[in-house]
Amino acid sequence: MSEIPALPVTFRPGRTRAVLLTAGLAIFVVITTVAMLLEQLTPGEKLSFVLTGALLFAVLALLARVKVVADETGVTVVNIVSRRRLAWAEILQVNLRPGDPWVFLNLSDGTSLPVLGIQPGIAKARAIADARTLRALAEDRSLRDLP
């Protein structure tokens, strides 16, 4: 069993986040620079280039916002465009099977919730360690909640 950290603790794919935000910024800068260097463009066309670059950056920033925050009362799962708060008692199982793109939580209502904040894409060992830690936290907290 993984060592249980002090709460609150935040899990997020750090390397993936860095790549996404760096790529988004680079895309925005390149598109904006090209727009400003092309003298034949009208101001409206230049603005459309800049807005396109900003839109691409915003999409990549949304992809980079994923995280899981565990505290004493439960877990907050922040995915691309959603946020869900769960009490510890709602989490039955934390799964990261070989080939899974991210962690899945099996919930007491019979559903499964994807947790994009722990994903083995670029940093597989880190994701496995984070999944084990979240599993240990969920097991520890569910035992505390038993009468």
Side-chain angles (χ1 to χ4, degrees), residues 31-80:
I31 289 176
T32 300
T33 302
V34 168
M36 296 305 139
L37 292 176
L38 292 175
E39 295 175 6
Q40 68 271 24
L41 295 180
T42 67
E45 291 169 330
K46 288 181 180 187
L47 179 63
S48 71
F49 269 71
V50 172
L51 291 176
T52 299
L55 178 64
L56 291 171
F57 177 80
V59 168
L60 293 176
L62 273 176
L63 293 172
R65 77 185 282 263
V66 300
K67 66 181 176 179
V68 182
V69 180
D71 60 33
E72 289 295 334
T73 60
V75 174
T76 302
V77 177
V78 179
N79 285 334
I80 297 170

Side-chain angles (χ1 to χ4, degrees), residues 25-145:
L25 183 60
I27 289 168
F28 176 75
V29 168
V30 167
I31 289 176
T32 300
T33 302
V34 168
M36 296 305 139
L37 292 176
L38 292 175
E39 295 175 6
Q40 68 271 24
L41 295 180
T42 67
E45 291 169 330
K46 288 181 180 187
L47 179 63
S48 71
F49 269 71
V50 172
L51 291 176
T52 299
L55 178 64
L56 291 171
F57 177 80
V59 168
L60 293 176
L62 273 176
L63 293 172
R65 77 185 282 263
V66 300
K67 66 181 176 179
V68 182
V69 180
D71 60 33
E72 289 295 334
T73 60
V75 174
T76 302
V77 177
V78 179
N79 285 334
I80 297 170
V81 293
S82 66
R83 174 185 301 260
R84 184 162 175 195
R85 179 73 184 160
L86 300 165
W88 286 112
E90 292 179 80
I91 302 170
L92 299 179
Q93 192 173 29
V94 178
N95 291 316
L96 181 58
R97 296 174 298 255
D100 280 350
W102 40 71
V103 164
F104 288 90
L105 300 178
N106 290 341
L107 305 177
S108 59
D109 66 1
T111 63
S112 181
L113 177 67
V115 178
L116 280 64
I118 302 175
Q119 52 183 268
I122 295 175
K124 186 176 181 179
R126 179 77 203 165
I128 292 169
D130 287 351
R132 287 179 178 155
T133 301
L134 184 58
R135 181 180 301 131
L137 283 166
E139 289 171 357
D140 180 63
R141 293 305 186 264
S142 66
L143 291 175
R144 287 184 188 189
D145 293 343

